[in-house]
Amino acid sequence: MKYGEQLQKGAKERVWRALDAFAIELPSWGFANTGTRFGKFLQEEAASTLEEKFADSAEVKRLTGAVSAVALHVLWDMPNGLKDVEAVRTLEKKHGIKAGAINPNLFQDQSYKLGSLCNANPEIRQHALDHLLLSIEIAKELGVRDTSLWLSDGSSYPGTQNIRKRIDWLVDALKTAHAKLGPGQQLLVEYKPFEPYFYHTDIADWGMARELCREAGPQAKVLVDTGHHYQGQNIEQIVAWLLRSGLMGGFHFNDRRYADDDLTLGSIDPYAIFRVFYEVLSAASVSHEPANIAYMIDQSHNMKGKMEAAVQTVVTAQELFARAALVDLETLGDLQDAGRLVEAEELFRGAFWTDVRPLVGEWRKAHGASADPLLSLREDGYVEHIRKERRARNTAGGGGSYA
Ligand code: PSV
Ligand code: MN
């Protein structure tokens, strides 16, 4: 098959079908002012209230047509716990966007210096567990499927912690949490090799996350954050394994050059994300059912405007998903089985190199979104409006120096 032929052979239908089924969650924290370890460069238009985060997410949803929900971080967004549920329900209705995955915060409390669910002190473990259970309760109240757990727990110096004891504490906690899940709810377990600790991390990779899920129960699944791997790791192979074992729960998408850089999806290595999407789509084609995976973004933008970055990310995700959907799986399978390596590779690469932007734009337009969301964002005045509205609050103290 020659390059370009794929577009003629029912490509539009394939892309259309893929995009119909594709939606991604935005992180509420992606709209707030965050910083690096060395300083904060404040953005006048950043969101600081939950209402503003909902409003910003709704604008990204309106422009792209591919946003399913806005993921919440309990301490940052719902500091009063269950008392805030009603307010979230009101915001969901007002802005026409649902709350997404509920993220417990087990990394900021002063007592967590030596760990949260893995702390040697049983009182601190209980405190962390209570917060995890509260998060599950909040998810239940809001009708949200996923509680998304990331633990920063670890140590920076060999010999200072008992790794095996910590595994047992963690398993106990996850079993207790799992028992509280309602029908249809899920506990997503996210792994990360290092940072904030640099010797050991209690859930350092997908194998540890998978073991923990298996011990916790059938509603626990693994969350793959694309920024949480060592350099050179074959992430799509991890995804293939997790799909095979029914433990692929969801993604936190972002791109990186060095470590957990939280750069815009596809800005450094779009081919890597294409390959991940291809694994998901090819597994779904064999099982004949959608994998029911939570697609989520986990990025914070300190250089780019937050609204622009969010729109750019969703559009990139749509485009890479569409390109992955272009792979003719049947033909590829035949070529692979016949050992026709270069033809197989060219078919695969051909899909990646196809410019789907006009097709994806058409899909968006047909679905009431914008053919060119970044241009529409620039033209519709939303950013100017929120900048005016939020300027005074965002520049009064806080962060680094701001002229
Ligand atoms: C940790 O690096 C992480 O990826 C987790 O998902 C957190 O919830 C998120 O970033 C925000 O800090
Ligand atoms: Mn993450």
Side-chain angles (χ1 to χ4, degrees), residues 389-400:
E389 214 175 63
R390 302 173 187 174
R391 175 177 288 150
R393 197 165 9 107
N394 279 335
T395 53

Side-chain angles (χ1 to χ4, degrees), residues 227 231 254-264 268 300:
Q231 293 285 13
N254 48 63
D255 212 335
R256 49 76 78 81
R257 178 72 181 85
Y258 297 102
D260 188 19
D261 309 340
D262 277 347
L263 301 180
T264 313
I268 302 289
S300 316

Side-chain angles (χ1 to χ4, degrees), residues 29 73 76 103-104 107 148-151 190-192 194-195 223 225 228 252 254 260 262 298-300:
W29 52 100
H73 235 291
W76 301 335
N103 290 250
F107 47 89
S148 184
L149 173 75
W150 172 66
L151 278 194
E190 181 174 358
Y191 57 90
K192 179 170 175 171
F194 63 88
E195 194 198 43
L223 189 151
D225 183 313
H228 292 187
H252 271 180
N254 48 63
D260 188 19
D262 277 347
D298 185 5
Q299 294 173 176
S300 316

